């Protein structure tokens, strides 16, 4: 079983930055991939970014050039650095571990507002 703990969300002004963290209960090297999804009120949960155990990354077009997914294998933690934030980035963000099944974090609120 994979347990995920998310942190780092909050309220920021447009143009600001946040770094989300997702700490896994075990070595992320044993997990095929870890990724971030978003879900706004009344919307479907949608893909944001992913990183494989080999370090390959993938991003939704809407966040390319602004968001960066990375990992620290020693800390069993995946990060999402979110720069140049826009009001449309306001969502609950969920960490997901792909390891035989999908394992989800609790979700963390990101609010971008003046």
């Amino acid at each position: 079983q994979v347990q995920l703990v998310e942190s780092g969300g909050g309220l920021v002004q447009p143009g600001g930055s946040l770094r989300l963290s997702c700490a896994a209960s075990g070595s992320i090297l044993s997990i095929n991939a870890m990724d971030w999804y978003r879900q706004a009120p009344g919307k479907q949960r949608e893909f944001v970014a992913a990183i494989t155990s080999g370090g390959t990354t993938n991003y939704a077009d809407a966040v390319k050039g602004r968001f960066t997914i990375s990992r620290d294998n020693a800390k069993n933690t995946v990060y999402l650095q979110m720069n140049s934030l826009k009001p449309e980035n306001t969502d609950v963000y969920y960490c997901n571990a792909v390891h035989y099944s999908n394992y989800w974090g609790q979700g963390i609120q990101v609010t971008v507002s003046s």
Side-chain angles (χ1 to χ4, degrees):
Q1 301 295 322
V2 179
Q3 306 292 327
L4 303 174
V5 179
E6 299 168 331
S7 61
L11 172 65
V12 297
Q13 296 184 20
S17 298
L18 287 172
R19 188 178 73 162
L20 305 183
S21 298
C22 175
S25 58
S27 173
I28 59 176
L29 290 174
S30 67
I31 300 173
N32 292 333
M34 297 190 69
D35 48 39
W36 291 92
Y37 283 71
R38 57 178 284 185
Q39 188 169 24
K43 302 290 290 293
Q44 299 282 357
R45 190 172 297 184
E46 63 183 31
F47 172 80
V48 176
I51 186 166
T52 70
S53 60
T56 301
T57 59
N58 190 31
Y59 298 92
D61 288 343
V63 305
K64 288 180 179 177
R66 298 189 297 117
F67 291 10
T68 303
I69 188 170
S70 62
R71 68 185 191 187
D72 186 332
N73 293 331
K75 296 181 178 179
N76 297 321
T77 300
V78 172
Y79 304 97
L80 185 67
Q81 179 67 45
M82 309 167 69
N83 298 328
S84 301
L85 283 163
K86 305 174 181 179
E88 53 262 42
N89 297 134
T90 295
D91 283 310
V92 176
Y93 285 75
Y94 295 87
C95 182
N96 175 59
V98 182
H99 184 67
Y100 300 103
S101 299
N102 290 334
Y103 298 88
W104 295 93
Q106 79 282 4
I108 190 163
Q109 179 70 47
V110 171
T111 302
V112 185
S113 177
S114 299

